[in-house]
Amino acid sequence: MKLVVAYIRHEAFEPIRTELLDLGFPSLSITEVKGSGRQRGITEQYRGSSVTNYLRPKIKIECVVADGDVSTIVDTVLKHGRTGSIGDGKVFVIPVEQAYRIRTGEAGEETLQAHPGATATV
Ligand SMILES: Nc1ncnc2c1ncn2[C@@H]1O[C@H](COP(=O)(O)OP(=O)(O)OP(=O)(O)O)[C@@H](O)[C@H]1O
Ligand SMILES: [Mg+2]
């Protein structure tokens, strides 16, 4: 299992989420974060003064998948996340030791499988 972590533009999230759902990967977490890349800061003019913002708002996606599914997730993020301009973001792939579904006590990759065609009842 691997954790795919992607830092993306806000506008890229909905197309990524929709395609992952269509591909059978409905399970993910997101966080609104602030970060900086290699450009460090962006300087803008505000009421006649130069203001440098060192942090830019991004969406962080976390998605744990089986090893064989990593390329599908990464390809989807790259496809919808790329504008070609600086600040498109980054993707990291991190090993995951174990996973548990709390409701059933199941462990391992079976906890990552989506219900076929299910919508949520909470
Ligand atoms: N090494 C990193 N570790 C953790 N987060 C990172 C890292 N690099 C980038 N990020 C996150 O991704 C966001 C977007 O990064 P960004 O796309 O600017 O990367 P970059 O390396 O500067 O590439 P580019 O030249 O295309 O801008 C950052 O604001 C930060 O939240
Ligand atoms: Mg950058």
Side-chain angles (χ1 to χ4, degrees):
M1 289 177 284
K2 297 281 194 288
L3 167 62
V4 180
V5 177
Y7 297 90
I8 59 161
R9 298 181 191 278
H10 280 63
E11 311 85 86
F13 176 66
E14 198 56 25
I16 290 170
R17 183 195 67 76
T18 304
E19 181 155 339
L20 290 179
L21 186 64
D22 289 346
L23 292 170
F25 300 96
S27 304
L28 50 78
S29 297
I30 72 160
T31 319
E32 295 191 274
V33 299
K34 289 184 178 177
S36 59
R38 60 185 174 175
Q39 287 80 21
R40 297 173 194 173
I42 291 178
T43 301
E44 295 167 341
Q45 296 300 313
Y46 179 71
R47 293 185 179 172
S49 312
S50 288
V51 178
T52 301
N53 289 310
Y54 291 95
L55 297 172
R56 308 295 299 171
K58 297 288 171 186
I59 295 282
K60 177 185 178 185
I61 302 175
E62 294 171 296
C63 185
V64 177
V65 293
D67 289 9
D69 292 325
V70 168
S71 61
T72 302
I73 307 301
V74 172
D75 289 350
T76 301
V77 172
L78 295 179
K79 174 178 163 188
H80 295 290
R82 181 177 298 137
T83 69
S85 299
I86 60 171
D88 277 348
K90 288 268 180 61
V91 183
F92 300 98
V93 180
I94 302 155
V96 170
E97 286 277 330
Q98 186 55 286
Y100 300 91
R101 175 172 287 117
I102 294 173
R103 176 173 59 85
T104 59
E106 294 163 278
E109 283 191 6
E110 62 199 86
T111 64
L112 307 177
Q113 287 165 4
H115 285 299
T119 50
T121 304
V122 292

